[in-house]
Structure formats: structure tokens, C-alpha cells
Amino acid sequence: NAGVTQTPKFQVLKTGQSMTLQCAQDMNHEYMSWYRQDPGMGLRLIHYSVGAGITDQGEVPNGYNVSRSTTEDFPLRLLSAAPSQTSVYFCASSYVRPSTGELFFGEGSRLTVL
Amino acid sequence: GENVEQHPSTLSVQEGDSAVIKCTYSDSASNYFPWYKQELGKRPQLIIDIRSNVGEKKDQRIAVTLNKTAKHFSLHITETQPEDSAVYFCAASEGSNDYKLSFGAGTTVTVRA
């Protein structure tokens, strides 16, 4: 199993550009989520999904969109990038709800917005 | 929502000594408290977790304790080794939403040889 795969690993954007961070998992996990990691602020939940067709907002959803058309994929879209969105982004999945089992993280995507 | 505070932000210990990281949470209904370790440039990985019906849990050199009354939990690492150098994150589930985990800000642990 590849686990949780994120692409791209690195990306530089200009303010106002759009892009999509891809996340795929091959563990048949129902739960998938996106976190951003910033120095001194830990991991903050952006959006999460409890299954195909079901998404919900986390702690810091503004400026990000998500959709879940399949169990395997959970892309994160930035519609109009801002410098405040410079961060490392992690996709994470779990077989059950995260309050009962381990979250499996991808390797991260480092995004810089100029 | 849940608010998790983690202290200290950095911790330097001599190899062989113990390291203790403390976290407090705000939601008295939280019932799941995992700890994740993130080595430099790598992904976070679960190292130990504890549920609200348990006061202490051990796994070799690491242990976690939970005080529900005071709403705090701690990670203890004994006999530290260079490979313990990493960033450690505590987390707590939201009592009203099992699908949300709130993380602390992280503790950078450095083990000096």
C-alpha cells in the first residue's frame, strides 16, 4: 500500500493564482482531512470528509474548497491564493472517526505564495 | 470548539534523561488524546494515545498520563536517545464532534549527546 499520497510536494504561486493540492489514499478510509502547519501554531484543520459526497469545515476553512467524489481522493482547492496561505499542508485519513483511531498523514505539500 | 495548549515549546535534554511535555484542553467532553511525533521534514506519526476512561498508558520508554479533573495530559519519555529528537504534538478530540481533532502548537525536543 502507498498509504496517503500528496502532490505536489512543493509549489510556488503568485497572489491571486489558483491551484489544487491532490490527496489520494489506498487504504479504503472513509475519513479524510486537510491540515495546515504553521510555525508555533501546530496543525489546524481546514476541511474534512466522512465519506464520498460529504464534506465539512474545520477550524480555518476560509479561502479553501474541497470535494469528495470518490473514497480515494480528497483534493484541496485554493481559488485565489494569498500570502497568508503560505504553509505546509498535510492530508490525513483514518478508517474510523479520528477520535477512535490513528490518523495517517501524507508527506506534506509546501506552498509559498508570493 | 476545543482549545489545546502545549508546553514547553522547546525542550533540550541530555541523552539518557527524561523529557516531559504537558498539554491542557478546554472541552470537558473530550475523550481521546493522541500524541504525534514529527521528525524533521517528515510526516506526523502516532506514537501513543489515551482515552478518557484510562489514567495512564505505557509503551516501552514512552508513557502518557491523563487528569480529567484538571483537564491536562502529559507525555513522558524516559532514557532519551538521539532518535527521540523531533517535534511532538498533543491533540484532543472535540466532545461534540468525533470527526475533529485539535492539536497543540508542538514541542521541539532536542536530545544532546
Side-chain angles (χ1 to χ4, degrees), chain A residues 5-108:
Chain A
T5 304
Q6 289 182 232
T7 56
K9 288 185 170 50
F10 301 94
Q11 183 71 51
V12 178
L13 290 178
K14 294 181 180 178
T15 296
Q17 288 185 319
S18 63
M19 78 158 299
T20 299
L21 297 176
Q22 301 291 345
C23 176
Q25 52 89 11
D26 61 359
M27 297 175 283
N28 202 30
H29 287 172
E30 289 296 327
Y31 180 87
M32 296 185 74
S33 56
W34 278 100
Y35 285 86
R36 60 177 289 173
Q37 182 177 22
D38 301 291
M41 303 190 76
L43 294 155
R44 292 182 293 168
L45 181 64
I46 304 171
H47 285 286
Y48 66 97
S49 170
V50 302
I54 306 170
T55 64
D56 205 346
Q57 295 181 349
E59 181 185 354
V60 287
N62 292 342
Y64 307 95
N65 278 358
V66 293
S67 60
R68 183 96 178 269
S69 56
T70 67
T71 299
E72 294 78 20
D73 301 298
F74 190 44
L76 179 71
R77 298 182 184 85
L78 285 73
L79 299 179
S80 179
S84 61
Q85 294 179 303
T86 293
S87 187
V88 179
Y89 292 85
F90 286 97
C91 180
S93 71
S94 66
Y95 182 67
V96 292
R97 56 193 67 191
S99 62
T100 58
E102 179 176 0
L103 270 179
F104 293 86
F105 285 86
E107 292 187 329

Side-chain angles (χ1 to χ4, degrees), chain B:
Chain B
E2 175 72 276
N3 182 42
V4 179
E5 295 191 355
Q6 183 172 348
H7 299 280
S9 58
T10 61
L11 181 60
S12 179
V13 297
Q14 190 71 35
E15 183 177 355
D17 287 350
S18 296
V20 180
I21 304 169
K22 298 181 179 180
C23 290
T24 61
Y25 60 98
S26 60
D27 187 347
S28 57
S30 293
N31 58 16
Y32 177 64
F33 308 92
W35 287 87
Y36 283 79
K37 175 184 179 182
Q38 184 181 29
E39 296 178 358
L40 188 62
K42 300 293 181 64
R43 71 189 81 191
Q45 291 187 296
L46 179 71
I47 55 171
I48 196 167
D49 58 11
I50 192 168
R51 301 191 185 281
S52 59
N53 59 346
V54 175
E56 183 176 3
K57 184 177 179 180
K58 290 183 180 180
D59 183 2
Q60 298 182 345
R61 293 186 298 106
I62 59 173
V64 58
T65 59
L66 171 65
N67 184 326
K68 285 170 50 181
T69 303
K71 289 189 287 186
H72 68 71
F73 55 112
S74 301
L75 178 71
H76 305 253
I77 307 173
T78 59
E79 301 173 14
T80 53
Q81 300 171 3
E83 55 264 36
D84 295 328
S85 295
V87 179
Y88 293 81
F89 293 98
C90 63
S93 62
E94 278 200 15
S96 60
N97 187 335
D98 284 349
Y99 295 102
K100 290 185 176 180
L101 272 183
S102 294
F103 284 82
T107 297
T108 301
V109 174
T110 302
V111 180
R112 307 187 308 272

